[in-house]
Amino acid sequence: MSDSVVEKEASMEAQKELLAGYFARLARARDEKRPVVYSFVPGNLVELMSALDVAPVYPEVNALQSAMRQRSGGFIREAERAGHSEDVCSYVKCDLGMLMKGNVGPTGDTIPPPDLLLLSFTGCFTFMKWFELLRDQYQCEVAMLHVPYVGDGNVTDAMRAYVVEQLQREVIPKLEKVSGKRLDLDRLSELLARSRRAEEDLAWVFHSARNRPSPIDAYFGGVYYIGPIFTSFRGSEEACRYYATLRGEVEARLTAGVGPTTPGGPLLDERFRLVVEGPPNWTSFRDFWKIFYDEGAVAVASTYTQVGGSYERGFRHDPSRPLESLADYCLSCYTNLPLPQRSRILADMVSEYEADGFVIHSVKSCNSFSAGQLHMLREVERLTGIPGGFIESDLVDARYYGQANIKNRIESYLQMLAARKRDGGSAPRPPVHLQVLP
Amino acid sequence: MTSIDTIVGELEARFDDIALEHVRAWKQAAPNRLAFGCLPVFAPREVLWAAGALPVFVRGGGDRLETIRGDAFYQSYICHLPRSTLELGLLGHLDVLDGMIFPNTCDVIRNLSGVWQSTFPQHVVRFMDPPQTAEPASAAAYLHHELTILYGELCALAGVKATGARLHAAIADVSDAHAAARELAAARCEQPWNLPIDEVYLLRRAADSMPPPAWTALARAYIAAALARGRRPEDRIRVCLVGAFCEQPPRALLRAAERAGCYIVDDDLTLGVEPCGPDPEVGAADDPMTAIVLAWLRASRPSAVRYDQHASAGRALVERVRHHRADGVLFAAPSFCDPALLDQPRLTRVLDQHAIPYTSFKYSENTGQFQSIREQAGTFADSVKLWGTA
Ligand code: SF4
Ligand code: SF4
């Protein structure tokens, strides 16, 4: 996603090209008379959008890309000057601030305004408020897809039927209207078949972390791996090629017994295997990662890489039942699951990937992730018998990222894990401090 | 006529009964009675009541409770409501409840449903995700299905038969309570000097945990007694209070706002027990559950926690201001409340277009210091009186 990783592999170059091509195509969308549809990453219906030849835009991705380029602070301040509270999600403010400043995207190209806001209401309540705000700005139509929250962990037939009906009666007609085309279900199925191929490769890549040493970092590296499949490229040949290349590289590292590629070079000494919960900080992404790889800590699994699809846990799009499969996809995204299930997923990953510990990165912005994470911390500790680490910052608001404090916490957590390893698992866990940083 | 002091005394006692002894007494007074906690904002009251379950709105502990253990569940950047709600549970104050209903109000309440499942396994926990969709047919079918399942479960738990007749009767009871709530709102709008916010608030909070018919009678008794006071109006501005629909401001804050020179003539403090549109319309032969579902879908009162399908929330607020002859709007939002705070810029933009003055502040339920809020409300009132604008 960014060019900050020093040792370039073919997949990284391929991803960079994918992204650059995407933003360039987007900038041409108006001239080429391609309708533009804004949507969100969790529960996105990209195959449906591709089948109708509309150009998708993901405001969250713009926000995180802006943050990686140190531009989010200005956008957030702009939104706050316009009356948006400092308390609310910084993704929303970053996006609104970018809009106020002319909607120039992370690569310098102007993002075209939407013809339709496709509000896939999956896993986050703020999405709805966000698009209400954008609708006011753009005065355009909204297609609302209400994906019920899976409160007790079970996707029911009624939920699936409800989502499918909305697709049929609300979403598809509105997409057809802006695209001027009729949906061809066969084409949709073809796209879903390609999604499935890429999903297989991605899941294989994540599962490769079961090996020692892990050939991947499933959190810091993982956010790059999910880039294409969580956004505009699922269902495309380019995505299939990208994931095949990625898999090949990981296979080669596995054969060579080499750890993940980091900005500091290949990680040669895997000292700690961690599971990570929560989104990363994007404003200091590289520094944040460095804290971990400097200590030989590798994320062998993460939950953030499941927000846009639970491929690692087995979900695959099914071309033989396209709409039902899209519904299942939306319903099963990680943040659409209840906390007890989220805790179990974390605990299962700790044992499946033979992790030494787990770290929760709690971000101020995101109630969807963060509200209840302290409870999850205790639940996962109870389920695994392993103490967890807890750190706090924000996604794209650098005011809440404190490098020294986070470094301190991670280092003492890792020291505790080292002591546990030496003492056979009895070292006490460091205290949890409940303060937003700095 | 019961004296106003007696009624207000009763309301105070109910409000202070955070251990819900009055709910316990109600349950014990007859067999097959259940009580179900309902988190803000919307709950299927008719369905619960039909099954013999008293809907008990749990709106946090407010400033009546010191939150200690609940704080250990949440980071500093999460609102206060889930902490004090957990505190109530951990102190055993919610033991009288047979279960809890968590509506999809926001991600905090959504996630609290999961915390509740593991922390209080003795409670039946149900998550309600009423449709936000703009597509009415699928929404109606889905909500009907969900409510029918809930109704069946509740009736089985109570040991009663899930009949249409019970639903018909419950709709009638809740509609009566809504009628009384409308009378209360009208009386307050006309004579806020006789129906101060503090008392009206206590009365509406009583609706949170009273059987609807009993509350209807109490509300009507209060209205009659309050109107008979014969107080004289003071030189205060009239305001609508917006954004305090979930975590509740301390009562003292409401009092402070009024004493600073405002009459609060409209608010969204107790959404859930307030009518939000037409009541279910049901003939004897109609399916009562369908009527409940349609009433939900037709609910006309916008709120920050429902999808604003027609982009009408701003206009609706202007209409409320006009209807209540308000001079301005006080935005009061709980700190870190995404729904309320994200709504404000959309609403203020429309108020600006209509030259309606407003001011905004944040609070938390256990705020002890109101000096700045009092000053802000006072300055607002003064400037509106002087210049008609803030
Ligand atoms: S609250 Fe979380 S999931 Fe929702 S928009 Fe913000 S960062 Fe994304
Ligand atoms: S106060 Fe706001 S954020 Fe907190 S639980 Fe209520 S609606 Fe959600």
Side-chain angles (χ1 to χ4, degrees), chain B residues 46-61:
Chain B
E46 292 93 342
V47 176
L48 288 163
W49 185 234
L54 182 65
V56 178
F57 278 80
V58 179
R59 300 185 198 268

Side-chain angles (χ1 to χ4, degrees), chain B residues 79 81 105-106 108-109 245-247 334 336-339:
Chain B
C79 65
L81 176 117
T105 296
C106 68
V108 173
I109 287 183
F245 50 82
C246 181
E247 180 177 321
F336 303 107
C337 175
D338 263 20

Side-chain angles (χ1 to χ4, degrees), chain A residues 2 59-76 90-91 94-95 98 105-106 280-286 394-398:
Chain A
S2 109
E60 306 124 290
V61 177
N62 295 340
L64 76 88
Q65 290 282 345
S66 297
M68 286 180 115
R69 290 162 172 79
Q70 311 307 319
R71 297 177 60 198
S72 54
F75 293 152
I76 289 170
S90 57
Y91 267 3
C94 183
D95 183 44
M98 189 174 95
N281 164 271
W282 298 111
T283 49
S284 302
F285 182 79
R286 214 173 148 174
D394 191 46
L395 295 158
V396 295
D397 192 337

Side-chain angles (χ1 to χ4, degrees), chain A residues 262-330:
Chain A
T262 74
L267 195 121
L268 301 173
D269 176 22
E270 178 187 282
R271 294 182 53 226
F272 301 100
R273 296 167 66 83
L274 302 175
V275 170
V276 184
E277 145 84 8
N281 164 271
W282 298 111
T283 49
S284 302
F285 182 79
R286 214 173 148 174
D287 293 337
F288 188 31
W289 190 354
K290 191 170 188 304
I291 296 171
F292 289 79
Y293 68 71
D294 274 354
E295 298 294 323
V298 177
V300 287
S302 81
T303 53
Y304 182 66
T305 51
Q306 300 177 29
V307 284
S310 49
Y311 309 117
E312 190 179 338
R313 285 180 293 113
F315 176 80
R316 298 289 179 275
H317 283 91
D318 181 354
S320 69
R321 36 194 287 284
L323 298 186
E324 290 78 5
S325 172
L326 288 173
D328 285 342
Y329 159 71
C330 293

